[in-house]
Amino acid sequence: MVEFDFVSPPSEGVSSIEFRVPEEVIEHEDDYREGRYHDVITLSAVESDDPSTCAVKYDFSYVEGGLDRLLQDSETWYEDGSGAPEQARPYMLTEVTHKHVDLSEDYTSAVVPVDCAASPTDANKTALVIFRQFDLRPRFAYAKVSVMKGGELFIQESDIRRWQADSNGNWIRD
């Protein structure tokens, strides 16, 4: 497993990546620190039920109170009545419709089918790792990850809202 710091993606394909918003950023983002759901999200390549596609497994590690916030926020996700909390939760965690997500009953893991990437630089077929915070704001941090049929993961894009790393790896406001 490789840790990703939102600065330097692994130079080679890996089978599992641990994503974590840097503490330096969390320290300066009161709203995010107090309202976030996750501490760590791990993404792993897994065998797909459909041999023509790939699949990824998300493992979610919640901060204290994070799962309760997620469950509460899912109650209001579809305020217009177009869905139910059970439909909102998979989407809140993966941005994939509930019909395509195999979410564990305790919300600690999910398996999602994804189209296999044609090459390590294929940015069109990706899985999304999302760090959200309470009150349904847009993504605070995210990474798009492509998956090769052989089980290798490649980070195609990543961002932390309002933050960027300088050339020395220090986090500064964007």
Side-chain angles (χ1 to χ4, degrees):
M1 179 177 331
V2 172
E3 283 188 37
F4 177 58
D5 57 4
F6 283 86
V7 177
S8 305
S11 58
E12 297 181 2
V14 295
S15 62
S16 187
I17 305 171
E18 184 177 276
F19 294 85
R20 180 187 310 260
V21 175
E23 277 299 319
E24 187 177 349
V25 172
I26 294 171
E27 288 175 18
H28 298 290
E29 286 286 343
D30 294 340
D31 287 344
Y32 178 70
R33 183 178 59 251
E34 299 301 320
R36 63 193 174 126
Y37 302 137
H38 300 106
D39 181 35
V40 175
I41 300 174
T42 302
L43 189 71
S44 303
V46 294
E47 190 171 323
S48 176
D49 291 339
D50 179 351
S52 67
T53 64
C54 292
V56 292
K57 180 181 181 199
Y58 294 83
D59 287 300
F60 304 105
S61 173
Y62 293 90
V63 297
E64 186 175 331
L67 178 56
D68 291 336
R69 278 192 292 280
L70 174 81
L71 296 174
Q72 181 180 351
D73 289 348
S74 70
E75 298 288 332
T76 58
W77 185 269
Y78 291 110
E79 290 179 350
D80 64 1
S82 64
E86 296 77 27
Q87 296 171 334
R89 293 171 190 144
Y91 187 83
M92 292 170 69
L93 293 167
T94 66
E95 285 198 10
V96 175
T97 180
H98 70 282
K99 295 176 184 178
H100 302 289
V101 177
D102 182 12
L103 184 61
S104 66
E105 288 185 23
D106 62 0
Y107 308 104
T108 59
S109 67
V111 175
V112 177
V114 295
D115 290 332
C116 297
S119 73
T121 59
D122 187 348
N124 295 320
K125 299 174 181 174
T126 58
L128 192 59
V129 175
I130 314 153
F131 286 88
R132 293 188 189 278
Q133 66 191 70
F134 81 105
D135 79 4
L136 311 178
R137 292 184 185 177
R139 309 169 187 152
F140 180 75
Y142 74 91
K144 291 183 178 182
V145 182
S146 61
V147 185
M148 299 288 291
K149 186 66 177 169
E152 302 88 7
L153 302 174
F154 295 91
I155 297 172
Q156 300 299 321
E157 177 183 330
S158 65
D159 186 53
I160 298 177
R161 189 174 47 163
R162 298 187 307 261
W163 290 89
Q164 69 178 10
D166 67 15
S167 61
N168 294 323
N170 298 307
W171 286 94
I172 57 174
R173 291 245 184 223
D174 195 6

